[in-house]
Amino acid sequence: PRAPAARRAGLRAAFCFPIRSARGVLGVIEFFTAEPREPDSALLGTMSALGDQIGQAVERRRDTEALRAKEARHRAMLDAALDCVVTMDHEGCVVDFNPAAERTFGYAAGDAVGRDMAELIIPPELRERHRRGLAHYLATEIPILLDRRVEITGLRADGTTFPVELTITRIDVPGPPTFTGYIRDITDRKAA
């Protein structure tokens, strides 16, 4: 489209190449010169390959920025939740512990993450039951408590117990099973 303007300006040679990605053409880079030049197919091939590489780099950057934004939204959502959100891996270790869980159970997230969840927030008399349930699910993938609301007892850092409403879901991510517990302190509801 710029050829007539280039001629009026006295330019004698030009070439351009597209910046491409899997989503299509992102842009074009143009070069003009007043010196007459013969077409150089090797140079054009190199520049075409360069355009593809630039396009891939642009897409990677866009994907990275989109992922960061998604992770920020996810983190903000977890941080703003009124209910406790505790994520556990297939070995029973805490992977995530939101601010509501910190307030409710009395542990900082940094102290909770990586620890055995049963030892952290489950009363001693229920720990073996929890571990058997996890082992049963891992062996059979037959859920006993998944995707149901149950009332059970929670354990705070100071050793006190309190009634909670618990829902456990399996998170659909690649790799070994990961579970999230949504926990609500129902002390006031029970008192009422």
Side-chain angles (χ1 to χ4, degrees), residues 49-95:
L50 179 62
D52 291 345
Q53 291 175 356
I54 293 170
Q56 290 172 10
V58 167
E59 285 301 318
R60 276 193 303 274
R61 172 94 181 205
R62 286 180 179 173
D63 290 347
T64 299
E65 289 171 1
L67 181 60
R68 279 192 194 123
K70 183 177 180 178
E71 288 172 349
R73 282 190 307 276
H74 175 75
R75 176 54 46 200
M77 183 178 66
L78 283 177
D79 289 351
L82 298 177
D83 288 340
C84 305
V85 181
V86 179
T87 301
M88 177 189 84
D89 66 16
H90 67 288
E91 295 177 331
C93 293
V94 175
V95 175

Side-chain angles (χ1 to χ4, degrees), residues 100-189:
E102 291 179 313
R103 290 187 300 273
T104 301
F105 290 101
Y107 294 100
D111 296 331
V113 171
R115 290 186 55 190
D116 179 58
M117 193 188 73
E119 298 291 327
L120 197 68
I121 64 174
I122 297 174
E125 65 272 14
L126 298 175
R127 289 177 186 161
E128 190 53 36
R129 187 171 148 196
H130 161 77
R131 289 185 177 114
R132 279 195 318 265
L134 177 59
H136 176 265
Y137 181 81
L138 294 175
T140 66
E141 291 202 5
I142 298 171
I144 295 171
L145 287 180
L146 288 184
D147 304 317
R148 292 180 25 212
R149 281 186 168 76
V150 295
E151 290 185 9
I152 197 160
T153 305
L155 176 70
R156 290 191 173 93
D158 65 7
T160 60
T161 59
F162 63 106
V164 298
E165 181 180 82
L166 168 68
T167 303
I168 303 169
T169 61
R170 180 175 174 178
I171 302 172
D172 188 18
V173 293
T178 303
F179 308 91
T180 294
Y182 302 91
I183 307 161
R184 178 176 295 164
D185 181 346
I186 57 172
T187 303
D188 293 340
R189 185 171 86 193

